[in-house]
Amino acid sequence: NYPLKTKILAKLMAPNYDDLVKIANMKMPYGKYKGVALVDLPEPYVVWFHNEGFPDGELGKLLAQLYEIKVNGLEFLFKPLRDSNFIS
C-alpha cells in the first residue's frame, strides 16, 4: 500500500507526521504567496526564509521543516498526504 509506505517514510524523516500533513495542506497566511499550500511554495522563497529567518511560532517551524524537505528533493512524499481521503 503506497500511502502506508509514505506514512512510514514521513515518520522516519521528520519528528512529527502531523506536521507533514499540515505542510501539505496549510496555506501561506500572508505575503506574495498568500493562499498557496506551504508545500507548493517556490524553493527560492523557502530558501529566503532560511537565510533571513523563519517567522516565530508554528508557521516558522513548518517552514523550517519544509526547507529541509525541498532542498533534499523529497516533495514527492506529500502527494498522498494532500488527498483529503487519506488524512486521518
Side-chain angles (χ1 to χ4, degrees), residues 14-80:
N16 188 336
Y17 171 76
D18 292 335
D19 285 350
L20 295 179
V21 174
K22 287 178 185 176
I23 292 168
N25 295 285
M26 182 177 169
K27 307 290 188 214
M28 188 66 183
Y30 56 80
K32 180 178 182 178
Y33 296 101
K34 181 179 180 175
V36 174
L38 296 183
V39 72
D40 293 331
L41 293 172
E43 186 173 330
Y45 187 65
V46 179
V47 170
W48 179 86
F49 273 112
H50 173 75
N51 293 334
E52 298 297 319
F54 295 109
D56 292 333
E58 182 179 41
L59 179 61
K61 179 180 83 164
L62 296 175
L63 288 172
Q65 290 179 7
L66 179 61
Y67 170 80
E68 293 299 329
I69 291 162
K70 283 191 173 280
V71 298
N72 288 294
L74 300 172
E75 295 98 325
F76 69 91
L77 294 173
F78 286 96
K79 185 170 170 87

